[in-house]
């Protein structure tokens, strides 16, 4: 057999910006004696009702391409019509669809940085240019600066609250001021993947605002609070014309029948699932308080994770955590995001962070 030549240069002509684009990196797995706190997953096992719902699927048949039953349930919940809901293979898939519908070569998309690491790549894939606006000193969105970054080339702005990976929220007052400052025909995407973990009464709730702003789309997911990360299902709420454009960019039939059944079952047992969320939020607050007592200056997280601002020492700090049995998400040279996991992980985590903070 003739061996193919090895080269870093592709054998066919590809878009150079895609060839040079770093691939999205999933959170690292953990060994049997370590805790995987790198992917913001819900540590609770699947609810029995969800497992029952996805048993005995007719996998030889295609799913409902429009996820109508799910959209009807969500529309009833949020006081909108089913056409004002779109369901996708995770909220990140819907984000990709929205960006592709709004921006192309020569256009710009504004977002905070650091924020969700998929944002730059999704913008590049669409052919557009990402405009990164630095977070404030306390790791929050600088909405006035983001509004000032909007130009005639801007086609979309992404606001992530709680912000991944720092956990900080945008308040309702801040968001309304921002919406008044940007053009009314500019697409604003409010990414609320961790909304269910928020207990700050001042935080914005995008689902209550979609009817007020015809340029606003709100993203939510069932991956985190509902524990369906492995089934990949999220949704967006927004104006029909914008969502129709996003529907046109979707990969058909990407939301599986298992995902749709699981969502409907999860919504039936939602009180039980949200009780789990409340316990994780309480654990998050306890971990943050313990970190502050150790000397950490951690921002007030409202997600299911905490942010360790380790700066130039980030890579070494990540190695220390890993050696102690904590697999976290390392973002050199800025900081480390640690998911809130099993109760058993807390003692190990705090022992490791106590060691790290002394070296900073």
């Amino acid at each position: 057999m003739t061996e193919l030549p090895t080269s870093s240069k592709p054998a066919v002509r590809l878009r150079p910006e895609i060839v040079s684009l770093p691939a999205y990196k999933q959170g690292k797995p953990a060994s049997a004696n370590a805790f995987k706190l790198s992917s913001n997953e819900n540590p609770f096992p699947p609810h029995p009702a969800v497992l029952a719902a996805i048993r005995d699927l007719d996998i030889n048949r295609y799913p409902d391409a429009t996820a109508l039953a799910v959209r009807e349930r969500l529309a009833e919940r949020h006081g909108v019509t089913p056409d004002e809901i779109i369901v996708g293979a995770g909220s990140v898939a819907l984000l990709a669809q929205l960006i592709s519908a709004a921006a192309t070569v020569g256009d710009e998309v504004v977002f905070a940085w650091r924020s969700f690491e998929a944002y730059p790549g999704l913008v590049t894939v669409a052919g557009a240019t990402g405009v990164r606006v630095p977070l404030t000193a306390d790791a929050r969105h600088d909405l006035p600066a983001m509004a000032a970054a909007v130009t005639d080339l801007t086609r979309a702005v992404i606001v992530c609250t709680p912000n991944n990976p720092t956990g900080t929220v945008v308040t309702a007052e801040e968001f309304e001021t921002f919406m008044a400052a940007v053009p009314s025909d500019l697409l604003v995407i409010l990414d609320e993947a961790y909304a269910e973990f928020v207990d700050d009464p001042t935080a914005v709730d995008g689902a209550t605002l979609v009817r007020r702003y015809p340029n606003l789309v709100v993203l939510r997911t069932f991956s985190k609070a509902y524990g369906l990360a492995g089934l990949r299902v999220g949704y967006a709420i927004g104006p029909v014309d914008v969502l129709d454009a996003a529907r046109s960019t979707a990969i058909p039939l990407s939301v599986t029948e298992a995902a749709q059944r699981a969502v409907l079952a999860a919504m039936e047992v939602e009180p039980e699932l949200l009780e789990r969320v409340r316990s994780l939020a309480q654990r998050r607050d306890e971990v943050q308080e313990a970190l502050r007592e150790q000397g950490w200056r951690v921002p007030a997280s409202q997600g299911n994770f905490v942010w360790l601002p380790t700066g130039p020492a980030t890579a070494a700090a990540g190695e220390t955590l890993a050696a102690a049995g904590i697999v976290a998400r390392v973002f050199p040279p800025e900081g480390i995001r640690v998911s809130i996991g099993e109760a058993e992980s807390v003692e190990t985590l705090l022992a490791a962070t106590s060691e790290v903070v002394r070296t900073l």
Side-chain angles (χ1 to χ4, degrees):
M1 180 182 295
T2 302
E3 292 187 3
L4 295 175
T6 58
S7 172
S8 59
K9 182 179 179 181
V12 298
R13 285 173 288 182
L14 301 173
R15 291 168 55 190
E17 69 271 24
I18 300 301
V19 173
S20 62
L21 183 68
Y24 175 81
K25 294 182 179 180
Q26 186 177 11
K28 291 182 179 180
S31 61
N33 60 347
F35 294 99
K36 182 175 184 284
L37 306 181
S38 57
S39 295
N40 292 347
E41 296 158 327
N42 191 317
F44 288 95
H47 193 284
V50 172
L51 293 177
I54 62 177
R55 194 177 297 128
D56 301 325
L57 287 171
D58 293 328
I59 59 173
N60 59 312
R61 303 294 185 184
Y62 285 116
D64 174 7
T66 71
L68 178 60
V70 175
R71 289 190 295 119
E72 288 176 337
R73 288 289 301 277
L74 291 170
E76 180 181 359
R77 160 169 299 179
H78 293 295
V80 297
T81 68
D83 287 341
E84 292 171 288
I85 300 281
I86 182 173
V87 179
S91 58
V92 68
L94 295 169
L95 178 60
Q97 293 169 225
L98 288 162
I99 293 172
S100 294
T104 187
V105 177
D107 297 331
E108 295 178 348
V109 177
V110 174
F111 50 86
W113 198 254
R114 178 173 285 274
S115 194
F116 182 34
E117 63 185 297
Y119 294 162
L122 295 178
V123 173
T124 298
V125 169
T129 299
V131 177
R132 306 185 187 192
V133 178
L135 297 174
T136 64
D138 53 354
R140 302 182 69 242
H141 274 52
D142 189 341
L143 289 183
M146 291 178 70
V150 173
T151 70
D152 290 341
L153 299 179
T154 309
R155 294 293 175 268
V157 178
I158 308 170
V159 177
C160 184
T161 179
N163 183 49
N164 177 11
T166 63
T168 52
V169 295
V170 170
T171 70
E173 182 178 357
E174 289 170 336
F175 189 72
E176 291 190 29
T177 300
F178 173 77
M179 291 300 288
V182 300
S184 60
D185 62 352
L186 174 67
L187 174 61
V188 177
I189 303 169
L190 189 61
D191 187 349
E192 295 185 318
Y194 301 91
E196 292 83 3
F197 295 93
V198 175
D199 52 25
D200 181 347
T202 70
V204 67
D205 180 358
T208 66
L209 300 177
V210 287
R211 287 289 180 86
R212 285 183 54 185
Y213 300 107
N215 59 326
L216 174 65
V217 174
V218 176
L219 296 178
R220 297 283 179 91
T221 184
F222 287 95
S223 295
K224 314 300 182 185
Y226 294 81
L228 303 183
L231 290 174
R232 306 304 304 130
V233 55
Y235 67 99
I237 318 169
V240 175
D241 55 345
V242 177
L243 296 191
D244 280 348
R247 282 183 250 269
S248 298
T249 68
I251 297 175
L253 302 161
S254 59
V255 183
T256 67
E257 176 68 16
Q260 295 181 41
R261 289 193 188 186
V263 166
L264 295 173
M267 292 179 75
E268 288 293 329
V269 295
E270 186 176 53
E272 296 176 54
L273 296 179
L274 293 184
E275 184 60 36
R276 296 176 173 184
V277 168
R278 283 188 287 272
S279 70
L280 289 172
Q282 180 178 353
R283 190 175 303 158
R284 170 201 68 204
D285 293 344
E286 292 169 353
V287 167
Q288 289 188 110
E289 182 59 31
L291 289 170
R292 293 188 181 104
E293 290 176 357
Q294 290 180 352
W296 289 93
R297 297 181 62 185
V298 293
S301 175
Q302 288 283 289
N304 65 336
F305 51 89
V306 295
W307 175 249
L308 305 178
T310 45
T314 293
E319 292 175 1
T320 299
L321 291 177
I326 296 296
V327 179
R329 196 62 173 270
V330 181
F331 296 102
E334 294 149 298
I336 299 174
R337 189 193 70 197
V338 185
S339 306
I340 299 301
E342 302 88 341
E344 297 78 14
S345 69
V346 173
E347 182 178 354
T348 302
L349 170 62
L350 293 178
T353 55
S354 177
E355 179 181 348
V356 170
V357 75
R358 290 195 297 267
T359 66
L360 298 179

